[in-house]
Amino acid sequence: IFVVSGFYFLREGKGMFDKILNFVPRDYKIELEILFRKINAVLSEYLRGQLLLVIIMTIILFIPLEILGVRYVFLLSIFSGIAELVPIIGPVIAAVVAATFVFLSGSSSFGLVPIQMALAVILIFFVTRQIQDYFITPHIIGRIVKIHPLVILFAVIAGENIGGILGIFLAVPIAAVIKILFEFSRDKINEKSQS
């Protein structure tokens, strides 16, 4: 759902905002159009950032799995990168699928038996997930949506407590929209005080 809705949002986001503006009274239309354009821009950048994270995670997983000698490493890496889009469940499913595949295929490298290879794959997924969660995602998404990485971490924690998996998924976009609303309100207050 995320990939399909993200595609349509990127492709038709401008048109959706234009249709919403048709219902707004003329006195507020210009201000709301500016606000909607800012929100649309930050949400579009967020979706592009998610796609960038998929590519980064695919590469980060490809390298150690290739060194380990896992068969079909390219397909497993792509699947795992895409699975990273689904909070909590996606990475677990990707790790289980990769470890199961390695175990069932009878892969062995570096003198490791299949069960040891599967455990090594799980360890690789665990370490890369920690690196992504605490370093890569907050910095990349933080730069894209212009929010400090620490705020992103706290937003995700708050999102998880409030809404579970859906809260984790929506935490950063909501935080970005709230930031834009605060900045917009501050600018309007400053304009009125200078008048």
Side-chain angles (χ1 to χ4, degrees):
I1 291 174
F2 172 77
V3 174
V4 173
S5 62
F7 168 77
Y8 284 114
F9 181 73
L10 289 173
R11 194 176 111 200
E12 299 175 7
K14 182 182 181 302
M16 289 188 298
F17 284 120
D18 289 340
K19 288 178 184 174
I20 292 170
L21 285 173
N22 288 334
F23 296 104
V24 174
R26 297 186 89 168
D27 296 343
Y28 302 105
K29 198 167 191 167
I30 293 174
E31 290 178 359
L32 281 178
E33 184 174 359
I34 293 168
L35 180 63
F36 282 164
R37 300 276 177 237
K38 288 180 180 183
I39 291 171
N40 184 35
V42 78
L43 294 179
S44 296
E45 289 300 316
Y46 173 75
L47 291 175
R48 288 184 187 97
Q50 289 296 326
L51 294 176
L52 177 62
L53 287 174
V54 167
I55 293 168
I56 289 170
M57 282 309 293
T58 299
I59 293 168
I60 287 175
L61 286 168
F62 178 83
I63 294 168
L65 293 176
E66 177 68 24
I67 292 170
L68 197 59
V70 174
R71 293 181 194 160
Y72 305 108
V73 66
F74 187 68
L75 292 175
L76 282 174
S77 299
I78 290 174
F79 169 74
S80 300
I82 293 171
E84 293 288 328
L85 290 173
V86 181
I88 299 172
I89 298 170
V92 171
I93 291 173
V96 168
V97 166
T100 303
F101 177 78
V102 167
F103 179 73
L104 294 177
S105 69
S107 296
S108 61
S109 296
F110 301 106
L112 300 174
V113 296
I115 189 73
Q116 292 171 327
M117 286 282 289
L119 291 173
V121 167
I122 289 173
L123 180 65
I124 288 169
F125 272 80
F126 177 77
V127 169
T128 56
R129 184 65 195 182
Q130 299 308 307
I131 291 169
Q132 181 198 8
D133 284 349
Y134 295 107
F135 299 106
I136 296 172
T137 299
H139 287 288
I140 288 177
I141 297 298
R143 283 190 183 151
I144 287 172
V145 297
K146 295 174 181 62
I147 297 177
H148 193 279
L150 194 58
V151 173
I152 289 177
L153 285 173
F154 284 121
V156 170
I157 291 169
E160 179 185 15
N161 286 325
I162 293 169
I165 293 175
L166 184 62
I168 292 171
F169 188 70
L170 296 175
V172 175
I174 290 172
V177 169
I178 290 171
K179 177 183 178 254
I180 289 172
L181 292 173
F182 278 134
E183 289 174 348
F184 189 78
S185 299
R186 183 194 62 213
D187 293 344
K188 287 295 162 197
I189 290 170
N190 288 341
E191 284 177 14
K192 287 181 181 177
S193 66
Q194 290 175 357
S195 299

